[in-house]
């Protein structure tokens, strides 16, 4: 069809214009019809008034009683026609024989209209064909003082003259119709311009097809997508976003954009969506999920004015879990490497002492090293009864020694078996200790560092494990420069770290791994500054639903 390629704006303009034309034509027709009826009605009432006045005139009553009424009444009727602006005044007897008429030759002839009503004493108005053509006329009885009908008076105006009055009303009706059509056309034009702007000149078929494509893409992608308007309402979100954010709207709520205040989102995500700031691959914790979030302004096409924000969510929980497992393995491997390196050095020292013939010193050196390891291992074995944690911390001590950092370990209580996922616990503990060692080692190495380590104190990391009241409390503290902020939401964003590696499994993901591991263990973690950084994780020791795996 010829209108298939028309835009919505053009279709609306044409449709509204045709509607305005039809309304204007209908209005003009109604006005003309109303004017026609009113003028005929008013003319009939005026003729009735003239005829009644004549019938009640004493001279007419007297003339109707004479032997020759025409001689008395014809001059009077002609005078009234000129003064009253009527086309004819006809007076007649009760049989309808004319006494007067505008054309004298018609006197004596019979009246051509209805006379039965007037003969019965009732006035009557009609539009009928007479000797002068179609006319609007009224006929009224002439009565004497006793009420006897002596004759009748008819006054009328030809239809031609009535139509002249109707024609005089046409310019007003047509002007009003034209004004209505102009106003409708202007309204349609303004509305069409607006629709053309908001629909970018697209037709309904193109918009419908585009909507179908967008809906298909929106609900098929494996990333969460959220659009938030300037008022803080989530005007659009796909199924994956609802899953990642824990939204479960009822069918009645799906058509209503939810406000951010009504959603139970993590505070960091609520702040990001509410402020609309630009973000690139920020890591946010939502329950036990780690979400990588990017946010950009949603611009109106062809304009730099933002209409809200577009936010994407990628679920990195599984990827981060794998990174955590890799981190745990790397931590243990690195710890074993450090221990191997340290033991090799000490073994070399013992061999050298033996070669020098200083057997007693070699034996004493070996016994002191063995006693130190047995004391440390026995302390943690008696407390935690977990060889993986013991191996991890012994290895971390060797790493700390390599970097010139003192690692002090304390533990108390007894860790029940099979209550925790040791993979997550190794990830949590290993990353906490790594971050602390890195902080004090780098601070000690920095020239002119103004910190506990840089002011003469030995760089030290303290690790304390406390099992009590059904919880495991893990505290890692250091005497380094402290944290730039204690807000873990800010610390956990990728890009806020000063370290060079921010790849999965690298140091840049340390806080993200720590928070995810803590959430996976069902615990909480807090950060503070007290002469350095202090990180405290509290993990409940609930009975496991099934035996937890080991690294």
């Amino acid at each position: 069809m010829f209108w298939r390629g028309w835009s919505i704006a053009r279709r609306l303009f044409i449709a509204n214009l045709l509607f305005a034309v039809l309304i204007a034509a209908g209005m003009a027709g109604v006005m003309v019809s109303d004017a026609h009826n009113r003028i005929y009605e008013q003319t009939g009432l005026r003729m009735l008034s003239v005829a009644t006045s004549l019938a009640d005139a004493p001279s007419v009553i007297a003339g109707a009683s004479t032997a020759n009424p025409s001689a008395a009444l014809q001059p009077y009727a002609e005078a009234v026609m000129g003064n009253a602006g009527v086309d004819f005044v006809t007076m007649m007897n009760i049989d309808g024989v004319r006494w007067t008429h505008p054309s004298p030759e018609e006197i004596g002839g019979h009246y051509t209209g209805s006379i039965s009503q007037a003969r019965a004493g009732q006035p009557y108005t009609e539009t009928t064909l007479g000797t002068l053509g179609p006319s609007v006329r009224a006929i009224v009885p002439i009565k004497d003082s006793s009420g006897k009908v002596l004759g009748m008076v008819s006054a009328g105006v030809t239809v031609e003259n009535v139509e002249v009055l109707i024609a005089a009303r046409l310019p007003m009706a047509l002007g009003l119709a034209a004004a209505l059509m102009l106003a409708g056309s202007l309204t349609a034009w303004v509305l069409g311009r607006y629709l053309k702007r908001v629909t970018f000149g697209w037709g309904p078929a193109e918009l419908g097809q585009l909507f179908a494509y967008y809906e298909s893409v929106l609900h098929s992608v494996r990333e969460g997508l959220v659009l938030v308007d300037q008022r803080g309402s989530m005007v659009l979100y796909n199924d994956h976003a609802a899953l990642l954010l824990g939204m479960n709207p009822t069918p009645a709520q799906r058509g209503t954009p939810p406000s951010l205040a009504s959603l139970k989102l993590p505070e960091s995500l609520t702040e990001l969506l509410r402020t609309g700031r630009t973000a690139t691959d920020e890591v946010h914790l939502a329950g036990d999920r780690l979400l990588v979030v990017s946010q950009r302004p949603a611009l109106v096409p062809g304009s730099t004015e933002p209409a809200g924000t577009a936010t994407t969510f990628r679920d990195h929980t599984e990827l981060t879990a794998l990174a955590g497992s890799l981190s745990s393995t790397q931590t243990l491997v690195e710890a074993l490497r450090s221990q191997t390196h340290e033991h090799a050095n000490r073994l070399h020292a013992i061999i050298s002492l033996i070669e020098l013939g200083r057997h007693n010193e070699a034996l004493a050196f070996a016994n002191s090293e063995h006693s130190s390891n047995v004391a440390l291992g026995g302390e943690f074995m008696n407390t935690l009864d977990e060889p993986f944690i013991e191996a991890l911390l012994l290895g971390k001590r060797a790493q700390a020694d390599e970097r010139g950092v003192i690692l002090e370990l304390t533990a108390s209580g007894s860790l029940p078996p099979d209550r925790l996922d040791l993979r997550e616990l190794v990830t949590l503990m290993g990353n906490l200790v790594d971050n602390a060692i890195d902080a004090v080692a780098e601070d000690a190495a920095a020239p002119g560092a103004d910190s506990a380590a840089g002011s003469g104190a030995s760089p030290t990391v303290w690790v304390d494990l406390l099992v009590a009241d059904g919880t495991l409390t893990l505290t890692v503290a250091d005497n380094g420069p402290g944290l730039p902020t204690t807000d873990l939401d800010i610390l956990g964003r990728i890009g806020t770290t000063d370290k060079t590696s921010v790849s999965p499994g690298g140091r840049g993901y340390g806080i993200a791994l720590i928070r995810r591991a803590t959430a996976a263990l069902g615990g909480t973690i807090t950060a503070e500054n007290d002469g350095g950084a202090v990180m405290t994780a509290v993990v409940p020791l609930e009975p496991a639903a099934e035996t937890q795996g080991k690294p």
Side-chain angles (χ1 to χ4, degrees):
M1 300 180 182
F2 66 90
W3 61 78
R4 185 176 299 276
W6 288 4
S7 66
I8 291 180
R10 176 178 291 184
R11 294 186 186 205
L12 181 65
F13 175 75
I14 297 299
N16 206 353
L17 180 62
L18 292 177
F19 179 74
V21 170
L22 291 176
I23 289 294
M27 181 66 71
V30 169
M31 291 183 64
V32 170
S33 177
D34 180 70
H36 180 278
N37 294 334
R38 282 179 172 272
I39 289 176
Y40 268 86
E41 181 181 358
Q42 292 172 359
T43 302
L45 291 176
R46 189 167 72 88
M47 295 302 101
L48 181 61
S49 176
V50 172
T52 302
S53 299
L54 290 173
D56 292 339
S59 58
V60 173
I61 296 174
S65 302
T66 62
N68 187 9
S70 296
L73 299 177
Q74 176 68 15
Y76 181 63
E78 291 176 350
V80 169
M81 283 189 292
N83 296 332
V86 296
D87 291 332
F88 68 88
V89 172
T90 300
M91 301 181 189
M92 67 204 81
N93 61 19
I94 59 175
D95 295 324
V97 177
R98 302 186 189 99
W99 294 333
T100 67
H101 194 274
S103 300
E105 63 272 12
E106 297 290 338
I107 296 175
H110 283 274
Y111 179 72
T112 56
S114 300
I115 62 173
S116 57
Q117 294 85 353
R119 181 186 292 176
Q122 300 298 324
Y124 179 68
T125 303
E126 65 177 346
T127 299
T128 188
L129 179 64
T131 57
L132 300 179
S135 61
V136 178
R137 59 183 68 184
I139 185 168
V140 177
I142 303 172
K143 299 178 181 180
D144 60 12
S145 57
S146 64
K148 180 181 177 182
V149 177
L150 302 177
M152 295 168 285
V153 177
S154 176
V157 176
T158 60
V159 169
E160 181 180 355
N161 289 332
V162 175
E163 295 296 334
V164 170
L165 295 176
I166 295 175
R169 300 284 186 94
L170 285 178
M172 182 180 67
L174 294 177
L176 184 60
L180 182 62
M181 186 172 66
L182 180 63
S185 302
L186 182 61
T187 302
W189 180 78
V190 172
L191 188 58
R193 289 291 298 267
Y194 167 75
L195 283 176
K196 184 176 181 179
R197 186 174 72 252
V198 300
T199 60
F200 308 107
W202 287 33
E206 291 85 354
L207 287 175
Q209 189 177 41
L210 184 65
F211 177 77
Y213 290 157
Y214 280 5
E215 278 287 297
S216 176
V217 172
L218 182 66
H219 294 288
S220 62
V221 295
R222 296 299 297 168
E223 285 191 0
L225 175 63
V226 165
L227 298 181
V228 178
D229 64 11
Q230 300 283 53
R231 297 173 297 179
S233 295
M234 194 176 292
V235 295
L236 180 66
Y237 57 90
N238 64 357
D239 299 337
H240 203 59
L243 174 64
L244 295 179
L245 299 179
M247 299 166 56
N248 188 23
T250 63
Q253 295 173 334
R254 290 184 183 275
T256 303
S259 64
L260 296 178
S262 66
L263 299 176
K264 296 180 180 179
L265 300 178
E267 184 177 348
S268 63
L269 275 179
T270 301
E271 180 270 338
L272 174 64
L273 295 173
R274 184 180 64 250
T275 58
R277 60 180 175 81
T278 299
T280 302
D281 291 341
E282 289 188 0
V283 176
H284 292 260
L285 185 65
D288 61 350
R289 293 180 183 272
L290 273 180
L291 304 180
V292 177
V293 184
S294 297
Q295 181 167 268
R296 293 289 185 274
L299 302 179
V300 177
S303 171
T304 58
E305 180 183 355
T309 56
T311 310
T312 58
F313 301 87
R314 299 194 305 276
D315 188 2
H316 274 210
T317 304
E318 295 182 3
L319 178 61
T320 309
L322 292 175
S325 297
L326 175 61
S327 177
S328 301
T329 304
Q330 288 177 335
T331 295
L332 291 175
V333 170
E334 187 68 19
L336 292 174
R337 185 204 61 78
S338 297
Q339 280 187 299
T340 301
H341 183 264
E342 183 179 6
H343 289 180
N345 289 335
R346 291 175 181 175
L347 183 59
H348 180 71
I350 293 172
I351 293 173
S352 297
L353 288 171
I354 293 175
E355 289 177 348
L356 292 173
R358 305 177 66 174
H359 302 88
N360 292 334
E361 287 87 343
L363 180 60
F365 182 80
N367 284 334
S368 65
E369 178 64 19
H370 175 70
S371 299
S372 175
N373 286 338
V374 168
L376 180 61
E379 177 184 356
F380 280 93
M381 285 295 292
N382 292 334
T383 299
L384 301 175
D385 194 22
E386 288 293 348
F388 295 100
I389 303 301
E390 178 192 4
L392 171 69
L393 292 177
L394 289 175
K396 289 300 178 186
R397 191 185 67 167
Q399 286 181 269
D401 289 341
E402 282 185 338
R403 303 184 66 178
V405 176
I406 299 173
L407 179 61
E408 296 188 2
L409 306 171
T410 58
S412 60
S414 179
L415 183 65
D418 300 329
R419 295 294 179 88
L420 295 175
D421 186 338
L422 295 181
R423 290 172 299 185
E424 302 293 355
L425 186 57
V426 168
T427 299
L428 172 61
M429 190 177 300
N431 278 279
L432 284 174
V433 175
D434 281 342
N435 287 351
I437 292 175
D438 287 344
V440 295
E442 293 172 2
D443 185 56
D450 185 14
S451 66
S455 60
S458 299
T460 306
V461 174
W462 294 270
V463 178
D464 177 69
L465 292 94
L466 171 63
V467 179
D469 300 326
T471 60
L472 168 63
T473 303
L474 171 62
T475 303
V476 178
D478 62 65
N479 62 348
L483 298 169
T485 175
T486 58
D487 188 343
L488 294 179
D489 287 331
I490 297 178
L491 284 176
R493 295 174 189 162
I494 299 303
T496 59
T497 178
D498 293 332
K499 301 168 186 176
T500 57
S501 174
V502 293
S503 59
R507 293 288 186 261
Y509 266 72
I511 295 297
L513 290 172
I514 289 168
R515 297 186 73 196
R516 194 209 62 77
T518 305
L521 292 169
T524 59
I525 187 165
T526 57
E528 60 180 319
N529 285 316
D530 185 8
V534 181
M535 302 285 287
T536 303
V538 179
V539 179
L541 300 174
E542 298 294 336
E546 58 182 20
T547 302
Q548 303 292 332
K550 294 185 178 183

